[in-house]
Amino acid sequence: MGEKLLVVNYKNYEQVLGKKSVEMTKAIERAASEHPDVRVVVVPPAVELRMVAENTSLDVFAQHTSGHTPGSRTGEIMAESVKEAGAVGTLINHSEKRLTLAEISSAVKRAHSLGLETVVCTDTVETTGAAAALNPHFVAIEPPELIGGDISVSTARPELVSGAVDVVKKISPGVRVLCGAGVKTAEDVSKAVELGTVGVLLASGVVKARDPYRATLDILAGYE
Amino acid sequence: MGEKLLVVNYKNYEQVLGKKSVEMTKAIERAASEHPDVRVVVVPPAVELRMVAENTSLDVFAQHTSGHTPGSRTGEIMAESVKEAGAVGTLINHSEKRLTLAEISSAVKRAHSLGLETVVCTDTVETTGAAAALNPHFVAIEPPELIGGDISVSTARPELVSGAVDVVKKISPGVRVLCGAGVKTAEDVSKAVELGTVGVLLASGVVKARDPYRATLDILAGYE
Amino acid sequence: MGEKLLVVNYKNYEQVLGKKSVEMTKAIERAASEHPDVRVVVVPPAVELRMVAENTSLDVFAQHTSGHTPGSRTGEIMAESVKEAGAVGTLINHSEKRLTLAEISSAVKRAHSLGLETVVCTDTVETTGAAAALNPHFVAIEPPELIGGDISVSTARPELVSGAVDVVKKISPGVRVLCGAGVKTAEDVSKAVELGTVGVLLASGVVKARDPYRATLDILAGYE
Amino acid sequence: MGEKLLVVNYKNYEQVLGKKSVEMTKAIERAASEHPDVRVVVVPPAVELRMVAENTSLDVFAQHTSGHTPGSRTGEIMAESVKEAGAVGTLINHSEKRLTLAEISSAVKRAHSLGLETVVCTDTVETTGAAAALNPHFVAIEPPELIGGDISVSTARPELVSGAVDVVKKISPGVRVLCGAGVKTAEDVSKAVELGTVGVLLASGVVKARDPYRATLDILAGYE
């Protein structure tokens, strides 16, 4: 009876670049409004972040924020910027944006110091344990070989998901676990929840769907 | 009697995060309007880019764009995004965001395919020659050891600037040269122009100035 | 009354390049022979590793090994290579060779699969906890701002060292803790041991000393 | 009628780790001795480099060297080390070890300052031109999508090879051109030479061959 969370990572799919990011968000928001018991978070690219945040009641996370303080940091994404633009959290260490351990830790601390929520992405049970030791709000385990594919992590590698849940419970019981990779159906989600996660992190399953509204609805049914 | 260009890189100084980026831009724009013969370009962080572009008549460049096409690229900055947000160009390979040679080349090609202008940043005469071979619109030579300091590259290392101008003339005569690092005064700029550049790329000299309007005016006087 | 360990990282100081690495090792070995109760490990550069291992009875570690299996990996250092050359362990994630979390975990697993010992380097209490979750043989906490300096971590930041010892005890009690940065005297070492470590990881304190034999002797006195 | 060069990159294939690197080198050396008009260079991993150099009359190159001077550089490969170990040159920026433009330039300069030959690897005509501007001894164009495959760059993309030869002639006529990727037969080599290169850079075609001696002989026949 705890928190239920769906995180939709927009990545940089052409379906979400520029103004299309607002349409995508509207579709997801519509589906979310039919499942008020699940918290739905959208994760647009940095350039689109402010525009999305200004046009939705959903919570918005950044795809990445730097662990550095403001200064001579050309090309980085400051936690201050995404917060001021309306984000309430950030992904850190996504498999397409891997960081050093020192950078992950700095990014978590900086985000927390500004009141942002953090989701640290990981690839194995071992790295999930390590990420949990940094005390982010969430860890999200995503085996890279399944990302973007057709088989869900919760179906293909249930032992990874339950292993992640167990190691987090042992190391930092307050950290909640998400899983991702290949998630496309309600069944994928309900398995993930059964295995002890609070929900899923997904991308193409919604963003590249013919009808993102319907795809989100399908996914959300898995939380019931 | 050719082009005169001033590029103001906002980096991620606290003076330009969030809504402050618009105020900063207004100040620079006011100074620019008194020197209509110089093209002034501002370079805000990615999150602030759209907001700045919507609130200025100055040309806006991004601080970095990826060489990749849209897709599974969490945390990257797509050329499509910055263009749609109002940017007309981008820095590439800034000293605080160094790329591999292959990435620089891809980023230049991608930006050009979308009609964006490109400024490839370099650190030495040799790398300026290499960057010129990639045919960006501009190269900007900035010796890292002078960046953020009090002595201008055009004063401290004039041979670097003229060497850069010469090697570019030899390899890709259509590419124009900027220089940067330590630029703070009209004299720094007029020396840079005398040495054969079309102007300067600067950051703290304007952005961290007590009065950015006046600092920009001072800099622009150097182009006369 | 447990294990006592001194790890001497040769880095790439000119004092250890080429055949000089063997002389350096002989000096350290001579000092070590006077303190048989302390295990002394030397860590030469990759190119010098085999030559050092063939000319010493001290244990030799590599400065870094890849997490990848043998294959198309130009320029990497395979765990197989360093083992075959005589190394019995490896540093991973040294502050001058930072890796992503996923790479650290892979490198630990690969090294262990070949029977190599592992020392994962970290910078803070938090990252030490994270590294401990990966179950290397050792973690070595080194605050980057003290590396190469004149004040020892055990003197300047004792709470970091004891914090590291505590978090490791909580997360992976079998992992032993080293500390490093600024270590130059017997007192630095004895403080480190008092704080719960099994010893120190150092570099310049021995390698750049006028008399490495005597410097090692001084350091080893701290273990008594 | 000029220089003819064959560069065999050992990568980190299991066939060349440890003492096997010496056997591999002996096989290649035997084939090379039957074609004294072609200069054959072998490129072992860093750990194996000294052992290979001490056991062959062939020229030995490193797979990578740092642009830094000796010092606090844990895990890097110094140009001094590879020279002292017997190497007479180095690859720089191999597709599996990409560097920033600034790093490539530093690595070329450092290697040259010690009298080492340099081969800068590139992926396109544009980056070949850029690399040529840095004045290495050689550039080696290898389209990443063909590396390790069964179709040779000189067969599949002859325009890339001739384009590389042309751009180098224009920018730095003293730089010689190699090509690589998918090279397995004498015909691949003779085409490469016809297109204006001095020869090929290859790896699996020899190193993973059932009989490296015979594979090298076959390749060398293409230079006639």
Side-chain angles (χ1 to χ4, degrees):
Chain A
M1 251 315 305
E3 181 177 22
K4 293 169 180 176
L5 180 63
L6 169 63
V7 181
V8 184
N9 179 7
Y10 288 5
K11 298 197 173 183
N12 271 293
Y13 291 123
E14 53 177 16
Q15 288 86 347
V16 302
L17 299 187
K19 302 232 159 69
K20 285 176 287 181
S21 61
V22 175
E23 296 164 47
M24 178 63 69
T25 308
K26 292 286 179 202
I28 296 167
E29 189 175 328
R30 206 145 36 92
S33 70
E34 302 180 30
H35 286 267
D37 51 324
V38 182
R39 181 187 182 202
V40 177
V41 171
V42 293
V43 191
V47 177
E48 283 77 9
L49 195 147
R50 178 181 294 271
M51 186 168 56
V52 167
E54 287 175 349
N55 287 284
T56 188
S57 60
L58 296 175
D59 283 343
V60 177
F61 279 18
Q63 294 184 1
H64 162 81
T65 49
S66 167
H68 291 119
T69 47
S72 297
R73 297 284 174 187
T74 301
E76 290 189 18
I77 305 295
M78 290 291 121
E80 281 81 355
S81 289
V82 307
K83 183 182 183 183
E84 210 266 359
V88 298
T90 185
L91 303 186
I92 292 170
N93 195 45
H94 188 273
S95 71
E96 294 153 12
K97 185 79 177 176
R98 286 291 191 230
L99 306 179
T100 69
L101 173 56
E103 288 169 337
I104 298 171
S105 181
S106 302
V108 168
K109 285 194 223 175
R110 279 247 69 216
H112 290 187
S113 75
L114 294 171
L116 294 170
E117 290 176 80
T118 49
V119 181
V120 176
C121 300
T122 60
D123 55 342
T124 61
V125 172
E126 288 84 357
T127 55
T128 302
L134 303 174
N135 272 303
H137 294 85
F138 303 92
V139 292
I141 182 166
E142 298 191 292
E145 69 278 13
L146 300 176
I147 293 180
D150 285 329
I151 308 174
S152 148
V153 58
S154 49
T155 302
R157 308 286 307 277
E159 78 289 358
L160 268 193
V161 179
S162 55
V165 169
D166 288 348
V167 75
V168 169
K169 203 167 290 170
K170 178 177 165 286
I171 290 180
S172 296
V175 174
R176 285 151 289 166
V177 179
L178 294 160
C179 67
V183 176
K184 289 206 161 52
T185 69
E187 206 191 338
D188 296 336
V189 174
S190 67
K191 275 189 193 160
V193 173
E194 269 168 44
L195 292 164
T197 72
V198 296
V200 298
L201 167 62
L202 55 67
S204 60
V206 162
V207 178
K208 296 179 75 176
R210 206 165 300 183
D211 182 345
Y213 161 68
R214 199 142 288 283
T216 308
L217 265 191
D218 287 354
I219 293 288
L220 287 169
Y223 287 85
E224 301 305 316
Chain B
M1 252 314 306
E3 180 177 21
K4 293 169 179 176
L5 180 64
L6 169 62
V7 181
V8 184
N9 179 8
Y10 288 5
K11 298 194 172 184
N12 271 293
Y13 291 123
E14 54 176 16
Q15 289 86 346
V16 301
L17 298 187
K19 301 233 159 67
K20 287 176 286 181
S21 63
V22 175
E23 296 164 47
M24 179 64 69
T25 307
K26 292 287 179 200
I28 296 168
E29 188 175 327
R30 205 144 39 91
S33 71
E34 301 181 33
H35 286 269
D37 51 322
V38 182
R39 181 187 181 202
V40 177
V41 171
V42 294
V43 191
V47 176
E48 283 77 8
L49 196 148
R50 178 182 293 271
M51 186 169 58
V52 167
E54 287 176 348
N55 287 283
T56 187
S57 59
L58 296 175
D59 283 342
V60 177
F61 280 18
Q63 293 185 2
H64 162 80
T65 50
S66 167
H68 290 119
T69 47
S72 297
R73 298 284 173 188
T74 301
E76 291 191 16
I77 305 295
M78 291 290 121
E80 280 81 355
S81 289
V82 306
K83 183 181 183 184
E84 210 265 358
V88 298
T90 186
L91 304 186
I92 292 170
N93 195 45
H94 187 274
S95 71
E96 294 154 13
K97 185 78 178 176
R98 287 291 192 229
L99 306 179
T100 69
L101 174 56
E103 288 170 337
I104 298 171
S105 181
S106 302
V108 168
K109 284 194 223 175
R110 277 247 71 214
H112 289 188
S113 74
L114 294 171
L116 294 171
E117 290 177 82
T118 50
V119 181
V120 176
C121 299
T122 59
D123 56 341
T124 62
V125 172
E126 289 83 358
T127 54
T128 303
L134 303 174
N135 273 302
H137 293 87
F138 303 92
V139 291
I141 183 168
E142 297 192 293
E145 69 277 12
L146 300 176
I147 293 180
D150 284 329
I151 308 173
S152 147
V153 57
S154 49
T155 301
R157 308 285 308 276
E159 79 289 358
L160 267 193
V161 179
S162 55
V165 168
D166 289 347
V167 76
V168 169
K169 204 168 289 172
K170 177 178 164 286
I171 288 179
S172 295
V175 174
R176 285 151 290 166
V177 180
L178 294 160
C179 67
V183 176
K184 289 207 162 50
T185 70
E187 205 189 341
D188 296 336
V189 175
S190 68
K191 273 188 194 160
V193 173
E194 269 169 44
L195 291 165
T197 71
V198 296
V200 299
L201 168 62
L202 55 66
S204 59
V206 162
V207 177
K208 295 177 77 176
R210 203 163 304 182
D211 182 344
Y213 160 70
R214 198 141 290 282
T216 308
L217 265 191
D218 287 355
I219 294 288
L220 286 168
Y223 287 86
E224 301 303 316
Chain C
M1 254 318 306
E3 181 178 20
K4 294 170 180 175
L5 180 63
L6 169 64
V7 181
V8 184
N9 179 7
Y10 288 5
K11 298 196 174 184
N12 271 293
Y13 291 123
E14 54 177 16
Q15 288 86 346
V16 302
L17 299 187
K19 301 233 159 68
K20 285 176 288 182
S21 61
V22 175
E23 296 164 45
M24 178 63 70
T25 307
K26 292 286 178 201
I28 296 168
E29 188 175 327
R30 207 145 37 94
S33 70
E34 302 180 31
H35 286 268
D37 51 323
V38 183
R39 181 187 182 203
V40 177
V41 171
V42 294
V43 191
V47 176
E48 283 77 9
L49 195 148
R50 177 181 294 270
M51 186 168 57
V52 167
E54 288 176 347
N55 287 283
T56 188
S57 59
L58 296 176
D59 283 342
V60 178
F61 279 18
Q63 294 185 2
H64 162 81
T65 49
S66 167
H68 291 119
T69 47
S72 298
R73 297 285 173 186
T74 301
E76 290 190 17
I77 305 295
M78 291 290 120
E80 280 82 354
S81 289
V82 307
K83 183 181 183 184
E84 210 267 358
V88 298
T90 185
L91 304 186
I92 292 170
N93 194 46
H94 187 273
S95 71
E96 294 154 12
K97 185 79 177 177
R98 286 290 193 231
L99 305 179
T100 68
L101 174 55
E103 289 169 337
I104 298 170
S105 181
S106 302
V108 168
K109 285 195 224 174
R110 277 246 72 216
H112 290 187
S113 75
L114 294 171
L116 295 171
E117 290 176 81
T118 50
V119 181
V120 176
C121 300
T122 60
D123 56 341
T124 62
V125 172
E126 289 83 358
T127 54
T128 302
L134 303 175
N135 273 303
H137 294 85
F138 303 92
V139 292
I141 183 166
E142 298 192 291
E145 69 277 13
L146 299 177
I147 293 180
D150 285 329
I151 308 174
S152 148
V153 57
S154 49
T155 301
R157 309 285 308 276
E159 78 288 359
L160 268 192
V161 179
S162 54
V165 168
D166 289 347
V167 76
V168 169
K169 205 168 288 172
K170 178 178 163 286
I171 290 180
S172 296
V175 174
R176 285 151 290 165
V177 180
L178 294 160
C179 67
V183 176
K184 291 205 161 52
T185 70
E187 206 190 340
D188 296 336
V189 174
S190 67
K191 274 189 192 160
V193 172
E194 269 169 44
L195 291 164
T197 70
V198 296
V200 299
L201 167 62
L202 55 66
S204 60
V206 162
V207 178
K208 296 177 76 176
R210 203 164 302 179
D211 182 344
Y213 160 69
R214 200 141 287 285
T216 307
L217 266 192
D218 287 354
I219 293 288
L220 286 169
Y223 287 86
E224 300 305 316
Chain D
M1 254 305 312
E3 181 178 20
K4 294 169 178 175
L5 181 62
L6 169 63
V7 181
V8 184
N9 179 7
Y10 288 5
K11 299 195 172 182
N12 271 293
Y13 292 123
E14 54 177 16
Q15 288 86 346
V16 302
L17 298 187
K19 301 233 158 69
K20 287 177 287 181
S21 62
V22 175
E23 296 164 47
M24 178 64 68
T25 308
K26 292 287 178 199
I28 296 168
E29 188 175 328
R30 205 143 40 91
S33 70
E34 302 181 31
H35 286 268
D37 51 323
V38 183
R39 181 186 181 203
V40 177
V41 171
V42 294
V43 191
V47 176
E48 282 78 8
L49 196 147
R50 178 181 294 270
M51 185 169 57
V52 167
E54 288 176 347
N55 286 285
T56 187
S57 59
L58 296 176
D59 282 341
V60 177
F61 279 17
Q63 294 185 2
H64 162 80
T65 50
S66 167
H68 290 119
T69 47
S72 297
R73 298 284 172 188
T74 301
E76 290 191 18
I77 305 294
M78 291 291 120
E80 281 81 356
S81 289
V82 307
K83 182 180 184 185
E84 210 265 359
V88 298
T90 185
L91 304 186
I92 293 170
N93 194 45
H94 188 273
S95 70
E96 294 154 13
K97 185 79 177 176
R98 287 291 192 229
L99 305 179
T100 69
L101 174 55
E103 288 169 338
I104 298 170
S105 181
S106 302
V108 168
K109 284 193 224 176
R110 278 246 72 214
H112 290 187
S113 76
L114 294 172
L116 295 171
E117 291 176 81
T118 50
V119 180
V120 176
C121 300
T122 60
D123 56 340
T124 62
V125 172
E126 289 83 358
T127 54
T128 303
L134 303 175
N135 272 304
H137 295 86
F138 302 93
V139 292
I141 183 168
E142 297 192 292
E145 70 276 15
L146 300 177
I147 293 179
D150 283 330
I151 308 174
S152 147
V153 58
S154 50
T155 301
R157 308 286 308 277
E159 78 289 359
L160 268 193
V161 179
S162 55
V165 168
D166 289 348
V167 76
V168 169
K169 203 169 288 171
K170 178 177 163 287
I171 288 179
S172 295
V175 174
R176 285 151 291 165
V177 180
L178 293 160
C179 68
V183 176
K184 289 207 161 51
T185 69
E187 205 189 340
D188 296 336
V189 175
S190 67
K191 274 189 193 160
V193 172
E194 268 169 43
L195 292 165
T197 71
V198 296
V200 299
L201 167 62
L202 55 67
S204 59
V206 162
V207 178
K208 295 178 76 176
R210 204 164 304 180
D211 182 344
Y213 161 69
R214 199 143 288 285
T216 308
L217 265 192
D218 286 354
I219 294 287
L220 286 169
Y223 287 86
E224 299 305 316

